[in-house]
Amino acid sequence: MRSALVCLLLLSMALYCHAQLQNGFYGGKCNGSNVEAVIKQYVEQRHASDQTIVAGLLRLMFHDCFVHGCDASILLDGPQSEKTAIPNKTVFGFDLIEQIKAALEALCPGVVSCADIIIAATRDATVLAGGQQFDIQTGRRDGTISMASLVNLPRPDISVDESINLFQSKGLNSFDMVVLMGGHTVGVTHCSVIKDRLYNYQGTGGPDPSMTGWFAWYIQTYVCPKDATWDNIVYLDDYSSLYTVDNSYYKQLVDGKGILPFDAEMARAWQTGWAVSLLAGDWSSGFLGMFSQALVKMGQVDVITGTQGQIRTVCNSVNSG
């Protein structure tokens, strides 16, 4: 029964590869240099001194691909660019992508897109944090449009139905959504985001009853005191694996220790609760494989290839002329 269910889930996440993306797209195109090896080297260096870069790159990739497709539009500067949208003000990792881009431009100018660097760097960071090694397809081009008005990302309090519809608009199904939320295994939020859930859930004057009592007390007492004057960081996963990509995030949800309103609802909703329970099971390697597949699938959302777009010389501005 279990094996049949696993097969069904894998089938539901079957990858439909983009026709013009390829494995090893940059082979023989960078004057003898291995493009993916160069990217990996820089990610390893950053990860050695800053493990939060895993969460940073996962969020950067998600926020890029979910808005106007995986075209590195989130990297563009400008008074009304995607960077200026409120959900993107806490996104980080831009400097690492620019550093990698500068190194590759020195080796083979005008060859490697910023969009592909985001995808490859995120893969490498995920693997360094305990994720499963997986191949990526490359050949993306960079977009030239970046507008804050186009940013439509899932809110922390979005309903499950709304989120499923939003993911489906990107070609991702409800199971993809649940698996991609596994990126919260290395994620954080802030007390301001969950204040109502802790102290005035749906106007009740108390915490969300779906949150385990002692856990709610702990967060209220030690992490997000009601009268605090600071907006403290709240980790979305168990403290024992803050920087590790694993399935402990789902175990937290099943145990009533989800932090974000959406996470808690996802664990209860009939459309997604079964998937949360499945992923929380004692088979973390199953989650790692599915997470890798989901990242590949997300990396194919509305990509531009061939002669579309451009290969930017620097990632934060379009090429002139």
Side-chain angles (χ1 to χ4, degrees), residues 197-223:
R197 186 168 184 239
L198 289 173
Y199 295 104
N200 192 28
Y201 179 71
Q202 295 184 352
T204 61
D208 182 346
S210 71
M211 183 180 283
T212 299
W214 72 263
F215 184 69
W217 171 84
Y218 175 83
I219 298 296
Q220 290 173 331
T221 305
Y222 296 105
V223 184

Side-chain angles (χ1 to χ4, degrees), residues 139-221:
R140 294 166 189 80
R141 303 266 291 179
D142 297 323
T144 57
I145 298 172
S146 183
M147 300 169 58
S149 60
L150 296 176
V151 176
N152 181 26
L153 293 160
R155 308 179 312 277
D157 62 346
I158 192 173
S159 72
V160 167
D161 282 336
E162 289 176 307
S163 187
I164 288 174
N165 290 337
L166 193 53
F167 272 78
Q168 286 179 341
S169 73
K170 308 298 178 183
L172 301 165
N173 60 43
S174 61
F175 189 70
D176 297 330
M177 179 188 77
V178 177
V179 175
L180 287 169
M181 288 301 105
H184 286 173
T185 183
V186 291
V188 300
T189 188
H190 289 83
C191 292
S192 58
V193 176
I194 62 170
K195 186 174 182 180
D196 284 348
R197 186 168 184 239
L198 289 173
Y199 295 104
N200 192 28
Y201 179 71
Q202 295 184 352
T204 61
D208 182 346
S210 71
M211 183 180 283
T212 299
W214 72 263
F215 184 69
W217 171 84
Y218 175 83
I219 298 296
Q220 290 173 331
T221 305

Side-chain angles (χ1 to χ4, degrees), residues 20 38 42 55 84 120 134 167 223:
Q20 296 186 58
V38 171
Y42 278 89
T84 68
F134 61 100
F167 272 78
V223 184

Side-chain angles (χ1 to χ4, degrees), residues 259-314:
I259 296 295
L260 295 175
F262 174 78
D263 290 353
E265 185 184 348
M266 185 175 71
R268 298 192 303 265
W270 67 268
Q271 306 97 314
T272 52
W274 64 273
V276 171
S277 296
L278 181 74
L279 292 166
D282 190 22
W283 59 303
S284 68
S285 60
F287 160 69
L288 294 180
M290 291 181 182
F291 190 58
S292 299
Q293 289 187 35
L295 287 177
V296 171
K297 190 171 180 181
M298 185 171 69
Q300 296 172 348
V301 172
D302 295 334
V303 298
I304 54 175
T305 58
T307 59
Q308 299 174 298
Q310 58 184 214
I311 303 295
R312 293 187 215 137
T313 302
V314 294

Side-chain angles (χ1 to χ4, degrees), residues 68-96:
H68 217 256
C70 306
D71 65 350
S73 55
I74 195 173
L75 303 180
L76 290 171
D77 289 335
Q80 301 295 327
S81 71
E82 291 173 31
K83 275 185 182 179
T84 68
I86 291 176
N88 289 334
K89 290 189 178 292
T90 54
V91 174
F92 64 98
F94 300 109
D95 60 324
L96 175 59

Side-chain angles (χ1 to χ4, degrees), residues 31-87:
N31 298 322
S33 296
N34 184 322
V35 168
E36 292 190 31
V38 171
I39 296 172
K40 182 180 180 182
Q41 176 187 355
Y42 278 89
V43 175
E44 287 176 337
Q45 290 173 357
R46 178 65 172 267
H47 183 262
S49 61
D50 179 13
Q51 293 183 73
T52 68
I53 194 61
V54 182
L57 289 174
L58 280 167
R59 194 156 179 249
L60 177 61
M61 176 181 166
F62 181 81
H63 283 219
D64 182 48
C65 292
F66 230 72
V67 179
H68 217 256
C70 306
D71 65 350
S73 55
I74 195 173
L75 303 180
L76 290 171
D77 289 335
Q80 301 295 327
S81 71
E82 291 173 31
K83 275 185 182 179
T84 68
I86 291 176

